[in-house]
């Protein structure tokens, strides 16, 4: 089979047409805000909006810095998607309590839909009758005081194991470059993550964790969290 050769001029023309379409769409999306009073916003760039101001990590610090420059209530554009950011306790109470019926819905991200069965779980499903039924089931059968108290022995056992691991790690010694003994450091964050994971997984799946190795479940959970935290281009261009 002969290799397929693409005409460079045709490829450049296609890129030019797509770029023009994206630019026109971005300009048209910006015009739709005319006539409405919007919260203050840092100046967005064409196409990407304010994505460049979020950086690669520590998003909470970047949002805090933007709130100091603008206001506790400001607007960001993640691509073409307008996003309202609330960084004040009184305003958050107004949004989450007083006007909860207006802000309680949530967007369906493409990454989340692919990972969590089209967002059919209680954490990411759209607000409506189905979500209210899921919340009622979770509160009555999973988060009730009686149900939580039934796992008290499990929590006490795991916390005791957690404290023992801290003692063992804190009492260990390692050689430095001069051959002298020094006390080894303790990664408390890793131990706390392990404790939380063990309590939740044992309460949900039992001691055998559904037949899977604890390390494998932990790895999959970490990968899922990293994917859920990723900002996908498909979420900011729709």
């Amino acid at each position: 089979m002969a290799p397929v050769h693409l005409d460079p001029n045709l490829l450049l023309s296609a890129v030019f047409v797509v770029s023009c379409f994206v630019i026109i769409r971005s300009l048209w999306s910006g015009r739709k805000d005319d006539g409405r009073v919007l919260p203050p916003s840092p100046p967005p760039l064409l196409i990407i909006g304010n994505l460049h101001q979020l950086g690669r990590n520590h998003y909470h610090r970047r949002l805090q810095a933007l709130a100091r420059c603008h206001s506790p209530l400001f607007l960001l554009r993640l691509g073409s998607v307008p996003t309202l950011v609330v960084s004040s306790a009184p305003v958050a109470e107004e949004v989450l309590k007083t006007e909860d019926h207006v802000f309680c819905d949530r967007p369906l991200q493409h990454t989340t839909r692919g990972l969590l069965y089209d967002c059919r779980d209680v954490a990411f499903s759209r607000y409506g009758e189905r979500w209210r039924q899921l919340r009622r089931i979770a509160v009555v059968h999973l988060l009730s005081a009686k149900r939580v108290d039934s796992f008290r022995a499990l929590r006490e056992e795991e916390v005791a194991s957690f404290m023992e691991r801290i003692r063992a790690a804190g009492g260990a010694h390692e050689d430095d470059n001069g051959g002298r003994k020094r006390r080894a450091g303790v990664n408390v964050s890793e131990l706390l993550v392990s404790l939380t994971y063990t309590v939740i997984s044992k309460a949900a799946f039992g001691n055998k964790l559904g037949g899977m190795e604890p390390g494998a479940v932990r790895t999959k959970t970490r990968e899922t969290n990293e994917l859920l935290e990723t900002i996908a281009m498909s979420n900011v261009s729709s």
Side-chain angles (χ1 to χ4, degrees):
M1 182 177 179
V4 178
H5 296 282
L6 295 178
D7 187 356
N9 295 327
L10 179 62
L11 183 60
L12 289 176
S13 300
V15 172
F16 176 76
V17 171
V18 172
S19 301
C20 291
F21 173 77
V22 173
I23 293 175
I24 294 174
R25 183 178 178 182
S26 301
L27 294 175
W28 181 258
S29 299
R31 290 182 178 179
K32 292 192 293 184
D33 294 332
D34 293 341
R36 294 188 296 175
V37 179
L38 297 177
S41 173
L45 294 180
L46 196 63
I47 301 176
I48 66 173
N50 302 110
L51 286 174
H52 64 291
Q53 296 174 310
L54 294 180
R56 298 178 61 88
N57 48 29
H58 300 302
Y59 300 124
H60 60 291
R61 298 179 181 175
R62 300 295 301 161
L63 293 176
Q64 182 186 33
L66 291 173
R68 290 174 178 173
C69 295
H70 300 281
S71 73
L73 183 69
F74 64 97
L75 186 69
L76 286 182
R77 294 191 176 279
L78 305 180
S80 61
V81 179
T83 304
L84 187 65
V85 182
V86 180
S87 300
S88 168
V91 180
E93 182 180 6
E94 185 74 16
V95 170
L96 299 175
K97 185 176 181 181
T98 307
E99 301 294 335
D100 178 67
H101 64 286
V102 178
F103 296 96
C104 59
D105 203 2
R106 67 212 71 185
L108 297 181
Q109 299 185 1
H110 294 278
T111 306
T112 310
R113 293 177 62 179
L115 287 173
L116 302 176
Y117 302 96
D118 203 22
C119 296
R120 298 181 61 84
D121 64 314
V122 68
F124 292 94
S125 61
R126 302 296 297 266
Y127 178 78
E129 181 59 29
R130 183 179 182 278
W131 179 84
R132 288 192 290 268
Q133 292 291 341
L134 290 174
R135 183 186 63 175
R136 187 176 297 111
I137 293 173
V139 170
V140 173
H141 297 284
L142 297 177
L143 304 177
S144 63
K146 182 178 180 181
R147 184 67 172 172
V148 172
D149 190 61
S150 65
F151 294 106
R152 180 175 180 177
L154 169 63
R155 293 194 298 272
E156 291 177 348
E157 178 184 353
E158 294 302 327
V159 169
S161 176
F162 167 75
M163 298 301 297
E164 185 60 34
R165 292 171 65 184
I166 291 181
R167 294 191 191 96
H173 293 77
E174 56 185 15
D175 293 332
D176 58 13
N177 294 332
R180 294 171 297 180
K181 295 289 185 178
R182 62 185 180 90
R183 191 177 298 274
V186 180
N187 190 341
V188 180
S189 298
E190 181 67 23
L191 294 178
L192 282 172
V193 170
S194 178
L195 170 66
T196 305
Y197 160 78
T198 302
V199 171
I200 294 177
S201 52
K202 283 189 176 182
F205 303 108
N207 291 330
K208 294 184 179 181
L209 303 181
M212 295 183 64
E213 291 293 331
V217 178
R218 185 182 304 177
T219 300
K220 294 299 182 183
T221 303
R222 184 182 297 110
E223 291 177 356
T224 301
N225 291 335
E226 292 176 354
L227 289 173
L228 293 178
E229 295 173 356
T230 302
I231 300 177
M233 291 304 299
S234 56
N235 295 327
V236 300
S237 61
S238 56

